[in-house]
Amino acid sequence: MAEEKNFYIGTAVSSDPFLKDTDYKDILSKEFNSITIDNELKFARVHPQKETYNFQIPDLIIDYSKKNGMQVRGHSLVWHKQIPDWLTMQKYTRDELKEILKQHIYTVVDRYEETINVWDVVNEAYDENGILRHNIWRDTIGHEYIELAFIWAHQANPNAVLFYNDYDIEQINNKSNAIYEMYKRLLNKGIPVGGIGFQFHTSINVNLDYNSIEKNFKRFSDLGVKIHVTEMDVKIQNNKDALQNKLAKQSEVYSNILNLCLENENCNSFTTWGFTDKYSWIPAYTGNDDSPLLFTNEYVRKPSYNALYKDLE
Ligand code: XIL
């Protein structure tokens, strides 16, 4: 259904169930036409030692995606989390770290030149006040690590659409304002940023301001960049309402965001961070039970699934 509109409905894929759970794999190709590998392309996993890359699992998942005609969103090249010890335990000079990052980007992007045409190049670089976070990249290379990363990714694969991806930037606020200014700056300088990823890790307890999201989508889209919803999940924990009501509320949130994306001509990809509650990262991350996704632990379709399906029809 999504293909006919040139629209991508995606999910994050975890390697464990991908390798072990056949129900998971069946639903994956039946229901989605885009995937994001949840962890295996992050720096620490794919490049665990200075001289060692680990492409085995990404290769398997990407092969499978291509066989099934799915888009692959590469995630992610530069982040302050999930970086290997060999990077953090030793002090590198600015030139050394630049060379390390450049070779990392060249190696990973180049390997998948034929198969990954969308990359989250920089992930979560800003803090909630709209200040560039202190991290190994900024503190050693300087602010310019962001544009260098985009330039290197573009050199490695000139056909890929390159994204900056972040959370809590869905609405107009200090953080999204800072990132909007960054896009204007980068585009003015001819840096190849082609899209912006809005993660959308949210909760039914959050009162999203849909008007603000629409305006925010529009201002980025007016810059000519693609808009992707990249990691959506909707928590229902810490809420005393009956389960049925919580799931109904959850389905509304999913549906509202999908519709805002469908209404924006530059928004062509909507990804949830997993599809079955069984393997969601939310319980481990928050320390609470939850049910943030589209299918139950037993792979029964939830109201959230049905709402999205209806919107796509
Ligand atoms: C999460 C993974 O899903 C977890 O398995 C891992 O332990 C932590 O990272 N923003 C991102 C994603 O960009 O890469 C994160 O993924 C979730 C938040």
Side-chain angles (χ1 to χ4, degrees):
M1 201 156 54
E3 278 95 3
E4 289 155 25
K5 290 191 160 54
N6 249 331
F7 193 81
Y8 294 101
I9 292 286
T11 175
V13 174
S14 305
S15 53
D16 251 26
F18 179 84
L19 297 170
K20 294 181 192 145
D21 181 340
T22 50
D23 292 338
Y24 180 91
K25 225 168 148 178
D26 284 350
I27 294 182
L28 182 59
S29 61
K30 235 179 256 152
E31 302 282 359
F32 299 93
N33 64 354
S34 174
I35 65 133
T36 308
I37 299 175
D38 70 348
N39 286 308
E40 307 300 330
L41 285 175
K42 290 172 179 170
F43 210 125
R45 296 284 181 100
V46 78
H47 192 174
Q49 304 294 334
K50 196 157 189 238
E51 307 301 335
T52 312
Y53 285 86
N54 206 342
F55 288 120
Q56 212 182 338
I57 293 175
D59 281 358
L60 281 175
I61 300 177
I62 291 163
D63 246 29
Y64 165 95
S65 311
K66 286 298 139 184
K67 283 198 186 102
N68 288 290
M70 302 162 101
Q71 163 183 262
V72 183
R73 298 195 79 268
H75 176 82
S76 55
L77 296 168
V78 192
W79 194 23
H80 60 288
K81 292 188 174 165
Q82 293 181 264
I83 43 183
D85 288 347
W86 67 266
L87 264 187
T88 52
M89 304 293 266
Q90 195 189 317
K91 194 100 187 84
Y92 294 96
T93 66
R94 177 168 190 268
D95 281 347
E96 283 167 346
L97 196 65
K98 272 173 70 179
E99 192 54 30
I100 287 170
L101 184 58
K102 179 165 132 184
Q103 290 312 326
H104 174 82
I105 291 176
Y106 278 5
T107 306
V108 179
V109 173
D110 184 61
R111 179 172 187 96
Y112 298 113
E113 196 190 353
E114 303 294 323
T115 43
I116 300 188
N117 55 12
V118 175
W119 274 103
D120 287 334
V121 176
V122 179
N123 199 32
E124 303 182 352
Y126 282 84
D127 73 10
E128 70 274 21
N129 303 314
I131 312 280
L132 208 55
R133 267 177 217 286
H134 284 282
N135 62 31
I136 177 178
W137 311 114
R138 177 193 154 163
D139 295 344
T140 313
I141 299 176
H143 288 215
E144 115 197 59
Y145 84 87
I146 294 188
E147 55 184 83
L148 287 172
F150 279 99
I151 290 170
W152 292 329
H154 182 71
Q155 286 168 351
N157 182 356
N159 297 318
V161 187
L162 306 180
F163 281 70
Y164 174 87
N165 184 51
D166 214 331
Y167 63 90
D168 286 347
I169 59 164
E170 293 79 14
Q171 299 180 182
I172 293 181
N173 56 30
N174 288 336
K175 190 171 172 182
S176 66
N177 286 341
I179 292 165
Y180 178 66
E181 292 307 317
M182 172 183 79
Y183 270 73
K184 288 201 292 194
R185 231 171 25 242
L186 295 180
L187 289 166
N188 267 330
K189 288 175 83 174
I191 307 292
V193 279
I196 175 148
F198 298 99
Q199 292 187 3
F200 273 103
H201 293 291
T202 186
S203 153
I204 57 168
N205 298 331
V206 172
N207 274 318
L208 289 175
D209 179 345
Y210 294 108
N211 200 10
S212 178
I213 296 171
E214 184 182 356
K215 285 206 188 105
N216 197 35
F217 278 14
K218 182 164 185 328
R219 68 175 169 168
F220 281 97
S221 153
D222 285 347
L223 294 177
V225 299
K226 287 269 181 270
I227 295 194
H228 284 184
V229 173
T230 53
E231 306 186 10
M232 188 159 179
D233 46 27
V234 183
K235 294 182 273 296
I236 64 167
Q237 59 185 267
N238 300 322
N239 184 304
K240 296 226 168 355
D241 210 349
L243 179 62
Q244 207 183 348
N245 297 338
K246 292 197 276 195
L247 295 179
K249 176 81 204 288
Q250 177 182 58
S251 75
E252 272 169 40
V253 179
Y254 272 112
S255 165
N256 289 337
I257 301 308
L258 176 61
N259 279 309
L260 285 177
C261 176
L262 289 169
E263 282 158 19
N264 185 302
E265 57 176 10
N266 275 340
C267 189
N268 67 342
S269 181
F270 177 92
T271 293
T272 53
W273 205 241
F275 58 93
T276 164
D277 291 336
K278 191 173 180 182
Y279 304 118
S280 168
W281 73 303
I282 292 295
Y285 181 70
T286 61
N288 297 312
D289 279 349
D290 209 311
S291 175
L293 292 166
L294 311 179
F295 289 81
T296 67
N297 292 341
E298 293 78 33
Y299 296 111
V300 178
R301 292 168 175 169
K302 293 167 58 184
S304 48
Y305 173 96
N306 295 326
L308 295 180
Y309 191 88
K310 204 162 144 236
D311 294 335
L312 287 169
E313 271 184 330

